[in-house]
Every structure is written in C-alpha cells, then in structure tokens.
Amino acid sequence: MKKKVISVLVAATMVVSLFTACGSTSKDSAAADKTKTEDTAEASDKEAKDVSDLVIGEIEYAVVEDGGWAQAMHESMLAACKNLGIDTEKNLLTAEEIAEEDPSLIESTIEEMVDNGADIIFGCSTGYGAVLAEMQEEYPDVVFAQYENDIYENVVEFQIRGYEGEFLAGYLSALMNTESNQFGFCASMDEASVRTALNSYALGAKYGNPDATVQVLWADSWYDLDVEGQNAKTLIDNGIKYMGMEASSPAVPQTCEQNGAFCIGYNINMQPSAPKAVLTSFTWNFAPIFEEIMQQTADGTIKIDTDYYEGGDCAKLADFNADLVPADVQAKVNELKDKIASGEVSVYAGELKDDQGNVLVEEGQVMSDEDILAQDFFVSNVTGGKK
Amino acid sequence: MTLIISLLSGALVYAVSVMYAGIGETFSERAGIMNLGVEGIMLMGAVTGYMTAVSTQNLALAFLVVLFTGAVLGLVFAFLTVTLQSDQTVCGMAMLTFGTGLSGFLGKNVAGVAANLKFENIAIPFLSDIPVIGPILFQQNLLVYAMYFIVPIAMFYIYRTRYGLKLRALGENPAVLDAGGENVFAMRYGYIIFGSVMMAISGACVSLGSTNFWSSGMTAGKGWIAFALVAFSSWNPLYLTLGALLFGFISCLGSTLQIYLPNVPTEIYSALPYVATVIAFILATGNFRKKHTAQPESLAVPYDRESR
C-alpha cells in the first residue's frame, strides 16, 4: 500500500513538474548559443514564385487561442496571409504546443513542414532559434525566421519595439488620471521583456505627468489568475485607479471592472473581456514584418541574415474604448505616436535615471538598442522594482 | 483595513475554488477510489459551462451542463475503476490528459470570446453591513455561499449519519459492507459520480466565478492543490477548509507584502504557500503524532468479490 501511495505521489509530482515546465516556457530569455555558421548570408537563388502559392510553417509554444502571446502571433500571421492572398486553410501549417526545450520535437515538426512543402518556417517564440539555425543548413531552400534579435546569421530574425506602444499606454493613463499621481502595474516575471513593458509604461506616464509614479506588483508567474487578480485588487485598495499590465489573462481587467478601476490590456485586445475597464490594449502586430518576409521569399530576394526590429504600426495600441476615452485624449495619444514615428520623441532619451539614482542615459543622448533589449534596470519613477 | 478585507476575501474566493474539488475528492477517496483526474475534470467543467454560457446566455443552464459533464466523466471513471477494476492511478492519469486535451479542443471557439455572464457577487442585506466580516463573507457569489452549507453538511454526513458510517467503511474494508448485504459497487459508483460533479463545479468557479473567460489549461494546477489538500486534511472536510483558506491566504499575501515590505525579494512570498504546506503536512500527518494516518485502508484497491 505504502509503495503504491508513494508511486502515485511520484507520478503526480512528475506530471506537475511537466506542467510547470510547459507553463514557464513563454518568454524566458533563452540563452541560446551563438552558432557560428560559415554560411555567407546571400540571397537564396530560388526562383521567384507567386506569393499566394507560398506554404507557410508556423511553430507556436501554446495553442493559438491562448489569449496571449501565441494568439497575437497567430492573428498577425493570419492578417499577413490574408493581405497577400495566401489560403490559410491550405497553405498555413500551424504547429501548436511545441515545447521550446524539446529539440527533437521541434526538429520533427520542421521536417514535417518541409515534407509538406513549406517555403518559410516561422519560430514564433524564443527558444526555437538554435534548432532553426541547425535545420537551415539541412534545408537551405527553406527560409527560417525566428522571434529573436540578431543571434543567427542564417535565420531571419524579427522583434518589435514594444516599448513604443507601452509608452503610449502610460501616456494615455496619465491623461486619463486627472486626480492622482499614482499609477499601478501588474507584472508577471522579472525578465527583460517585462521590465521593458513596465519601464516604458512608467516613462509614458511621466511624459504625461512629470510627478507620476508607478507601483509595480509581481505575480512571479507567467500565468496565475488568482495572484494577478489579487495584485490588481491590492493596487486598487491602495487608491490606484489606473494601471498597466504585463500578464496573459484577463484577470487584471476583470478585477478592475469589478472595482471601478481602469487598465490597459496586454498582448491582444482585451476590451471584450472587460468592456468597462479596458481603455485600450497593447498589442503585438507582426503582420507588416511577416508580409515583407513572405513577399521577399516569393520574389527570391530575401536575405536570410536580415534582422527586423520594428516600431510604428507594429507596436501600436488596439482601438480605443470609445466609451471611456474622450476624443481629445485619443487625438493627443495619436499625436504622440506620430512624434515617436518621426523621431521627435524618443522613449529612452536622457537624462534618464534608474530607481537607485544612477544615470542610465546622459542628457541629450538616447539609449542604444542593445540596452533597450536587455533592460536590467527600473526607471526612477517605478516603485517596487526588484533589487 | 481595506487591505485586510481584500486579502481575506481573496483568500476565501481562492479557497472555495479548490474546496469543491477537494470535498469531491474526499468523498471519492473515503469510498476507496482515488481519482487523480481532478484537474482534467475541472477543466471539462470549466469549458462546458463557459461554452453554454456563451451560446445560451443562461447561467442556470450553464451550471446544469457543468453538473452533467461531471456526472458523465464520473460515470466513465467509475466504470473503469469499479466495474473493470482497472488500476486507479493509470485511469486517473488518463482522465487528466483526456480532460485537459478535450477541454482545449472543445474550447477553441470560445477562447477569447466574452460571455459576460457569471455568478455575480451578491451582497446579503444586513449581514454584508457588518464591519470587516460583512464584506469578506457576505459580498460573494452564490458558489461561495453554497460552500458555507456544504462543509457542515459534509461533516455531518460523514461523521454523524448511518450513510457516512457506511461510506467510511467502504474505504476501509468494503468486504465487510458486502457481507452485510450492502451493494459496494453501486455505492462506489455513486460517490465517484458525486466527487466528479464537485470537481466540475470547481472548474465553473474558475470560468464562471471569480474570473469570466476561457483559456486552455486555465485551472493551472488547482486540481493538484485540491488533490494534495485531501491528504493534508486527513480526509476531513473541515480541515480541508482550513487548509484551503491557509493556502489561499498565503497565496494572496504576497501582493500586500510587496507594498509594505518592499525590501524582501518577492520570490520569497511566492514560495510561502509551499513552505507552509510542507510544515502543515508534517504537523498534520507526521508519525510523531499518530501511529497511523487517516488514509482509508482500501484506498486505490479495486474491490473484487471473488478474492475477498
């Protein structure tokens, strides 16, 4: 009997750890090895073909209806295909729940896609890069693209200047919040991409209100409905009425709605989940990048060492909630968006200090892309940043 | 004070969402059947309820569908483990993967779709005006209120009724009941189905209660917490309540402490529930206290008349 119980407990532990492993895969900064390939990145000498005939492979770490990252990616993919006349029923091969730490699964997925005639294979979450780079050598006729920044020379890499959208989100909150200088932020895990979202939200709030401070609360989990909701509730109980978020579920917006507070959704348009609380949402729009990669692949002009790091429409906010955001505020936010696009306003411009008082960027300078991507600081008006 | 209220009411909501499953599992295990598929059944309950809510906008109907889903899954599990006498660990795991996978598949069309229909918080007149206690206990949704009655009824049933006595015997030594002329198989079927229905309601707490949406795998381990709480509570619904409240309280504590003790790394708060679990587990079931635990003697042992 004892043995049986122990074996059950062991089995249970194994399953739990399996799930935790899956759960924590989302956007860890996978320290992928830099593979040095001798491949000179030349334009592939494939013949041009009609773009609507392309077969696209899409590798996702979760199901595409996850209400978060994978869904944002997939919606971008569908939009790009639609614009180029690619039949998504026939020519878009989507593989869901491909664990990033399972190279053999990634490999077999890629092989199957190639067998099905894939012309481009998109790795839609961090962590596929190493395998993609390896497989590119085996299948040089296929274009591999990966969500990553400038690691591999034989893989097209793409990322988005998400900080532009989060900056606008912070600015919007500041315009809406006329009663106090306090703002909130519900964050998931302490990681560069999350810090980016938090810092740019705080800078945006400061741009709209020089006295703005942002209290952050951490869930220390990529997905925990109860803690996310409780964090939002705690912020509200501390008198905070406007908050940003970096979390994958509508728990924060729904908590705001129940308690008369407002927030900016994240990943996808969260307005349907909490129509009385979501002012707008920060969304990832990869469609313009995907379109360009697809078009160039069809034309045979693609360079496989290309790196995309796009802002503008790729990092825009979803449609404003017209019932909550007045037209003049909408206009002001759009105006700032144009200023960022034209280079008149720079999000990480000096003088910029961190929460310890150290100067991050000198007056008159702007932060380099590498530093923006690898944020290991909290800007001065964030309270509750990790030590 | 508002912070204490929000902390305790958060803990209560959390506790209730695992208590349905925990009490269901308690009855199932008291009857000698270990159901490891809690998480899968929860997800199935969550998704079928949410789907019905989206398509019919009828909360009562959605809840009935949740009950029905639980009953069907319970019936399947009972058939496998009681009639076919299959290994309960394997069947439980099958139930888990089946429920997780099927719920994800069924829910594809309602993922990200807003139902805007859930068990709303209802303030009970007069009682909700009591300072502190009112907002915590009496401004909740129906699923929480129902739990106030379920725990005492479950306690009374298990320890104070003839049926409860039989239930306890069922898990300890079913042969005795059989010899006494009781239908062991029918009883086990009944308790498994009841347990499974309760697990499905736990799922509804997540998709139609505190939060109101569906996303694949949204229970995120709550089924396992419920499963662990059963052993933690020595198969006693009252201790289960305390355990669930403790776990909920410590889980929610992190957000408050982050504001008042900003110098402590937040990872410590995240680890607290598990540290507390280990300590409480040792205190509750440690050998130094009792010679033997309250675990039903015939737990996970299929009853076979021929080999009695």
Side-chain angles (χ1 to χ4, degrees):
Chain A
M1 187 63 236
K2 251 187 190 159
K3 258 189 196 163
K4 191 148 204 175
V5 172
I6 290 169
S7 69
V8 168
L9 287 177
V10 171
T13 326
M14 273 164 30
V15 172
V16 169
S17 58
L18 187 81
F19 276 88
T20 9
C22 294
S24 61
T25 52
S26 38
K27 281 178 281 165
D28 304 56
S29 47
D33 316 15
K34 253 195 171 177
T35 42
K36 294 256 191 290
T37 48
E38 297 309 314
D39 248 14
T40 42
E42 274 169 32
S44 83
D45 44 329
K46 260 177 102 183
E47 282 168 37
K49 68 197 270 185
D50 196 66
V51 68
S52 61
D53 292 337
L54 283 182
V55 178
I56 315 287
E58 174 192 2
I59 308 177
E60 300 282 3
Y61 82 98
V63 292
V64 296
E65 299 90 0
D66 70 341
W69 178 257
Q71 186 167 336
M73 275 279 182
H74 188 64
E75 282 172 3
S76 302
M77 194 67 77
L78 292 179
C81 287
K82 193 176 161 226
N83 286 346
L84 296 174
I86 296 170
D87 181 358
T88 50
E89 293 283 309
K90 233 172 56 194
N91 286 2
L92 178 62
L93 315 168
T94 306
E96 298 168 295
E97 296 193 298
I98 306 300
E100 291 157 314
E101 55 286 286
D102 188 349
S104 58
L105 177 63
I106 305 172
E107 243 169 68
S108 61
T109 308
I110 294 172
E111 271 160 7
E112 208 178 310
M113 287 176 168
V114 175
D115 284 347
N116 280 298
D119 298 288
I120 317 174
I121 293 175
F122 287 94
C124 292
S125 181
T126 45
Y128 301 132
V131 183
L132 256 54
E134 218 172 274
M135 298 299 274
Q136 196 277 337
E137 291 174 31
E138 210 170 307
Y139 303 108
D141 288 345
V142 180
V143 173
F144 289 87
Q146 166 65 25
Y147 174 76
E148 196 92 75
N149 191 270
D150 197 13
I151 296 180
Y152 306 101
E153 285 170 2
N154 58 342
V155 173
V156 180
E157 285 150 293
F158 55 92
Q159 274 198 334
I160 283 180
R161 296 178 188 273
Y163 60 85
E164 290 184 5
E166 280 293 345
F167 186 74
L168 295 175
Y171 180 60
L172 169 64
S173 302
L175 293 180
M176 297 291 295
N177 187 2
T178 48
E179 291 159 19
S180 106
N181 297 327
Q182 270 215 308
F183 297 81
F185 197 91
C186 294
S188 57
M189 304 274 273
D190 182 24
E191 193 252 354
S193 71
V194 182
R195 288 182 176 214
T196 307
L198 165 62
N199 284 332
S200 17
Y201 180 84
L203 289 174
K206 199 176 175 182
Y207 186 84
N209 172 359
D211 299 323
T213 57
V214 177
Q215 168 74 51
V216 56
L217 289 183
W218 301 90
D220 286 322
S221 159
W222 290 114
Y223 193 87
D224 190 326
L225 304 180
D226 302 285
V227 175
E228 287 168 21
Q230 190 64 28
N231 281 351
K233 186 80 192 348
T234 306
L235 289 172
I236 296 165
D237 287 339
N238 272 279
I240 289 167
K241 230 182 148 190
Y242 289 86
M243 62 185 82
M245 63 182 271
E246 194 288 332
S248 297
S249 85
V252 172
Q254 291 187 345
T255 309
C256 285
E257 186 166 82
Q258 276 168 28
N259 296 285
F262 304 95
C263 72
I264 316 281
Y266 192 75
N267 277 332
I268 58 165
N269 186 354
M270 289 187 169
Q271 195 181 321
S273 303
K276 285 179 211 132
V278 175
L279 302 173
T280 177
S281 300
F282 169 79
T283 56
W284 303 94
N285 179 20
F286 291 94
I289 303 176
F290 289 164
E291 256 185 80
E292 200 173 306
I293 296 174
M294 290 172 189
Q295 187 64 55
Q296 288 185 356
T297 304
D299 299 344
T301 56
I302 186 114
K303 290 195 168 51
I304 57 172
D305 65 343
T306 317
D307 289 311
Y308 289 94
Y309 189 34
E310 303 299 315
D313 275 347
C314 290
K316 66 176 181 185
L317 297 174
D319 290 341
F320 293 105
N321 188 336
D323 296 336
L324 302 176
V325 186
D328 61 317
V329 174
Q330 295 188 22
K332 275 187 183 164
V333 175
N334 285 331
E335 198 183 310
L336 179 61
K337 177 173 174 274
D338 295 339
K339 279 185 186 166
I340 295 172
S342 69
E344 194 182 329
V345 172
S346 187
V347 175
Y348 291 93
E351 182 187 339
L352 191 61
K353 282 187 179 167
D354 72 6
D355 59 348
Q356 313 290 314
N358 307 315
V359 176
L360 295 166
V361 183
E362 299 285 349
E363 183 72 50
Q365 310 246 314
V366 290
M367 193 177 279
S368 69
D369 278 355
E370 289 94 68
D371 288 345
I372 292 177
L373 278 162
Q375 298 195 12
D376 55 356
F377 55 84
F378 296 100
V379 294
S380 55
N381 62 333
V382 169
T383 35
K386 298 228 175 187
K387 297 297 172 305
Chain B
M1 194 45 91
T2 49
L3 279 175
I4 292 171
I5 291 169
S6 105
L7 181 56
L8 292 179
S9 99
L12 181 63
V13 170
Y14 181 98
V16 168
S17 70
V18 295
M19 276 167 68
Y20 277 99
I23 289 179
E25 181 74 21
T26 302
F27 274 84
S28 188
E29 291 194 9
R30 281 275 183 190
I33 304 289
M34 181 174 61
N35 189 346
L36 274 176
V38 193
E39 182 94 359
I41 298 171
M42 276 179 76
L43 283 167
M44 283 299 292
V47 77
T48 52
Y50 195 72
M51 284 164 68
T52 318
V54 169
S55 54
T56 66
Q57 286 293 313
N58 185 333
L59 194 58
L61 190 63
F63 191 68
L64 281 179
V65 170
V66 171
L67 301 182
F68 181 73
T69 308
V72 170
L73 291 172
L75 192 64
V76 172
F77 192 72
F79 179 72
L80 291 171
T81 53
V82 178
T83 306
L84 300 182
Q85 299 180 9
S86 321
D87 185 281
Q88 292 171 18
T89 316
V90 177
C91 290
M93 286 294 160
M95 218 58 196
L96 170 75
T97 37
F98 173 74
T100 311
L102 185 64
S103 63
F105 174 71
L106 289 175
K108 273 191 174 295
N109 292 329
V110 290
V113 177
N116 290 321
L117 180 73
K118 61 168 188 165
F119 290 96
E120 298 288 350
N121 289 358
I122 304 166
I124 296 183
F126 307 117
L127 288 178
S128 60
D129 298 331
I130 305 171
V132 189
I133 296 172
I136 296 171
L137 292 179
F138 302 110
Q139 287 182 19
Q140 301 286 2
N141 63 44
L142 273 179
L143 294 170
V144 177
Y145 293 140
M147 191 44 86
Y148 298 168
F149 298 98
I150 291 172
V151 175
I153 292 173
M155 285 297 286
F156 184 76
Y157 184 89
I158 293 176
Y159 295 105
R160 288 282 179 270
T161 66
R162 182 202 291 260
Y163 299 107
L165 186 65
K166 285 180 191 162
L167 167 61
R168 283 179 284 155
L170 192 56
E172 297 292 343
N173 193 344
V176 171
L177 281 182
D178 199 8
E182 299 288 339
N183 189 340
V184 169
F185 301 102
M187 285 170 75
R188 284 199 163 169
Y189 259 81
Y191 287 118
I192 293 172
I193 291 172
F194 172 74
S196 180
V197 166
M198 294 288 277
M199 293 167 198
I201 300 177
S202 251
C205 287
V206 181
S207 69
L208 296 170
S210 51
T211 44
N212 189 214
F213 63 95
W214 163 257
S215 93
S216 181
M218 73 186 296
T219 50
K222 276 194 170 171
W224 291 107
I225 290 166
F227 184 80
L229 278 173
V230 175
F232 171 85
S233 66
S234 302
W235 293 264
N236 178 324
L238 186 65
Y239 295 160
L240 184 106
T241 309
L242 298 177
L245 283 170
L246 177 74
F247 203 82
F249 176 76
I250 298 175
S251 298
C252 295
L253 188 63
S255 12
T256 312
L257 290 185
Q258 278 184 49
I259 291 185
Y260 292 103
L261 298 172
N263 290 320
V264 180
T266 59
E267 285 81 0
I268 294 194
Y269 304 138
S270 322
L272 277 181
Y274 306 98
V275 176
T277 309
V278 171
I279 294 171
F281 225 119
I282 295 169
L283 294 179
T285 60
N287 272 340
F288 59 87
R289 216 178 120 235
K290 286 181 201 154
K291 271 282 171 284
H292 61 92
T293 66
Q295 176 171 323
E297 200 62 33
S298 301
L299 181 60
V301 183
Y303 180 61
D304 182 8
R305 286 192 112 165
E306 307 299 317
S307 62
R308 122 173 101 113

